[in-house]
Amino acid sequence: MKNRPFSAGWTVLGAALISVFLSACASSVPRAIPVAEGAARVDLGKVGVTMLSDGQGARALDANFVRNASLAEVQADLQAAGLPTDKLEVPYNSLVVDVGGQRVLFDTGNGEFGAAGSGKLLENMSKAGIDPKSITAVVISHFHGDHINGLRNKAGQVVFPNAKIYVPTPEWNWWMDEARYTATPEASRGGLNTARRVFGPLAGSVIRFEPGKEVLPGVRSIAAYGHTPGHTVFMIEGGSRKLLYWADTTNVSMFVRNPEWAVMFDMDAEAAKATRRRIADLAIAENALVAGFHLTSPGVGTLSVRGKGYDFTPLK
């Protein structure tokens, strides 16, 4: 009986300490500060991040979009998230990272070749006060058109004239292989033609790297094959918190919650599913922020486990 006041006091103190700890953890999550519509900054101390919208696309939702889930299941998930059930709205997000004395652009967006509503990267770079000439490195995750078309305009000019261009070697080898191109029916050469149009005139200057290597100081590449044969993600280190740019590890946030779903754009569905779990688990284990090309605006946030999948919470 005599110990109760003492125990009660420690209980109150313990609760207070836990509250302070949780509050401190919450306040340690960086904020995404809007610069203008379509541009937001995240301050990571020695690493600066600017998220830049390249606009948004939309596609009609049909039974073919997710190969291993029914249309009814997909629509139910969209409805639960408060999203339209007759179409899929797809955001495009590039990012500029100031790290290790470099200004690095990860993926270049649709440029002048995308659908209506896309191709906003340069406009939003201007709003954020970033001159394309100030980009010293362009790092490409994979060769789908919405990631590489912004590298050169319709006149053939390089949009980021002072930047060295870095691409994953296995991605280059798959898309630029002449034997594959010759063996592919002409009607199915769309992506192969895009890669050649973008990179053909630059082939002699493009720097190819093996995933797993440090591409630039503070930028570590990680193989994430499946979406494409050489799809690669990047861990950006040296700031107050790590940042994982996971490119197209998932399409929109619906696939974060459902990592087993196979989207029609995944070239190797089984490899892509395994990659999603491996990369998501890595982000959580390393307490890294996650930035994704198709994630909910501003395209950067935190990741947590949710049932059999994960949850993406955008930074505010």
Side-chain angles (χ1 to χ4, degrees):
M1 295 291 290
K2 293 181 180 179
N3 289 333
R4 285 184 179 177
F6 180 78
S7 299
W10 274 106
T11 300
V12 172
L13 178 59
L17 289 173
I18 290 171
S19 176
V20 170
F21 175 76
L22 292 175
S23 176
C25 288
S27 64
S28 68
V29 177
R31 294 185 61 210
I33 308 298
V35 177
E37 185 178 357
R41 286 211 171 91
V42 181
D43 182 3
L44 298 179
K46 293 182 179 180
V47 173
V49 178
T50 306
M51 299 300 304
L52 297 162
S53 172
D54 189 49
Q56 180 166 298
R59 56 166 293 122
L61 188 64
D62 57 35
N64 297 319
F65 189 73
V66 180
R67 295 170 176 167
N68 60 346
S70 70
L71 180 59
E73 287 178 283
V74 176
Q75 289 176 322
D77 192 281
L78 288 169
Q79 186 175 32
L83 297 172
T85 58
D86 61 335
K87 63 181 178 179
L88 198 66
E89 296 176 338
V90 182
Y92 305 112
N93 307 295
S94 291
L95 69 156
V96 170
V97 179
D98 290 291
V99 57
Q102 300 273 347
R103 174 163 280 181
V104 187
L105 171 65
F106 290 87
D107 290 335
T108 63
N110 293 273
E112 298 176 345
F113 301 89
S118 69
K120 306 291 187 182
L121 177 60
L122 292 181
E123 175 186 337
N124 288 324
M125 284 182 75
S126 177
K127 291 179 183 177
I130 298 175
D131 187 337
K133 293 178 181 178
S134 72
I135 302 296
T136 60
V138 170
V139 176
I140 299 294
S141 65
H142 66 293
F143 283 16
H144 279 165
D146 53 340
H147 293 255
I148 64 174
N149 270 330
L151 194 57
R152 297 173 64 229
N153 60 25
K154 286 185 176 180
Q157 298 166 322
V158 176
V159 175
F160 309 100
N162 298 319
K164 293 181 179 179
I165 302 164
Y166 298 81
V167 305
T169 297
E171 189 75 354
W172 179 278
N173 289 347
W174 198 94
W175 293 96
M176 303 300 282
D177 181 71
E178 285 302 322
R180 177 172 289 104
Y181 185 82
T182 302
T184 302
E186 188 171 349
S188 302
R189 289 178 178 171
L192 298 171
N193 285 332
T194 295
R196 279 159 174 72
R197 175 179 51 76
V198 172
F199 291 114
L202 308 174
S205 61
V206 169
I207 300 168
R208 302 166 213 175
F209 63 87
E210 291 294 338
K213 304 290 186 181
E214 186 177 63
V215 180
L216 293 161
V219 179
R220 173 165 54 96
S221 65
I222 302 167
Y225 309 152
H227 181 61
T228 64
H231 181 263
T232 300
V233 304
F234 304 91
M235 188 70 81
I236 299 150
E237 301 167 319
S240 58
R241 189 161 175 180
K242 293 180 181 179
L243 171 68
L244 177 65
Y245 173 56
W246 79 359
D248 279 13
T249 296
T250 65
N251 199 274
V252 297
S253 295
M254 176 173 64
F255 296 95
V256 181
R257 297 191 296 272
N258 301 280
E260 299 301 316
W261 285 3
V263 67
M264 63 183 295
F265 298 120
D266 289 339
M267 295 174 69
D268 183 334
E270 291 305 310
K273 286 192 287 185
T275 288
R276 274 191 282 278
R277 289 205 175 275
R278 175 171 57 85
I279 297 300
D281 289 343
L282 174 68
I284 292 171
E286 299 206 13
N287 193 33
L289 299 176
V290 171
F293 195 75
H294 298 298
L295 293 178
T296 305
S297 178
V300 59
T302 58
L303 202 66
S304 59
V305 175
R306 175 184 182 271
K308 295 182 180 180
Y310 307 90
D311 226 358
F312 173 74
T313 303
L315 294 186
K316 296 180 180 179

